[in-house]
Amino acid sequence: MSFAEDMNYFYYRSSISELRTMHGGDYSPGLSYHSMLYLSIIAGMADCTVSKLAEILQITRSAVTIKVNELVKRGYVEKQQSREDGRVWLLTLTPHMADVYAMFGKISAKMENALREKHADNDMALFG
């Protein structure tokens, strides 16, 4: 396969995996795409807050607060008060969701390693 075909396959498999997770997967059944977007951002952002999420998503803080509270209630996100500023609440994934995202990270790393073995550095620079 060419690099482009490998990348298309990678994104295809990633999309299928997300759909399975959203529609009753073993890890987090019934998640919407919207919820998965929030979880992905929270997983990848240091010191994530409602305000930072609202800025990234370009929506109101109140809309983000509603969604975050839903994710907290479902057991996917935790709020922790900042030690430096008691007015700030930091968002993190619960240990279960952090484990799920770590597993997906390992899968992505394996895919990247397989691509690096198969394709030239200039193709991989496009991937990066």
Side-chain angles (χ1 to χ4, degrees), residues 17-96:
S17 177
E18 284 182 359
L19 284 170
R20 286 182 179 152
T21 299
M22 288 178 355
H23 296 292
D26 294 336
Y27 309 111
S28 48
L31 277 177
S32 68
Y33 181 78
H34 197 205
S35 294
M36 290 184 67
L37 175 62
Y38 275 69
L39 293 173
S40 295
I41 294 169
I42 292 168
M45 181 187 292
D47 299 326
C48 185
T49 64
V50 166
S51 294
K52 287 181 182 179
L53 274 173
E55 183 179 323
I56 287 171
L57 296 170
Q58 298 182 348
I59 58 176
T60 65
R61 285 192 311 267
S62 60
V64 172
T65 298
I66 291 168
K67 188 62 173 181
V68 166
N69 286 340
E70 173 193 324
L71 294 171
V72 169
K73 186 176 179 180
R74 292 186 71 183
Y76 299 140
V77 172
E78 295 176 333
K79 292 180 183 179
Q80 299 171 337
Q81 196 168 20
S82 169
R83 291 182 180 154
E84 291 83 33
D85 184 346
R87 299 169 296 170
V88 175
W89 289 85
L90 302 174
L91 307 174
T92 58
L93 298 182
T94 60
H96 167 72

Side-chain angles (χ1 to χ4, degrees), residues 12 15-16 29 36 65 68 75-76 98 109 111 123 126 128:
Y12 164 78
S15 297
I16 295 297
M36 290 184 67
T65 298
V68 166
Y76 299 140
M111 174 61 92
D123 287 337
L126 293 172

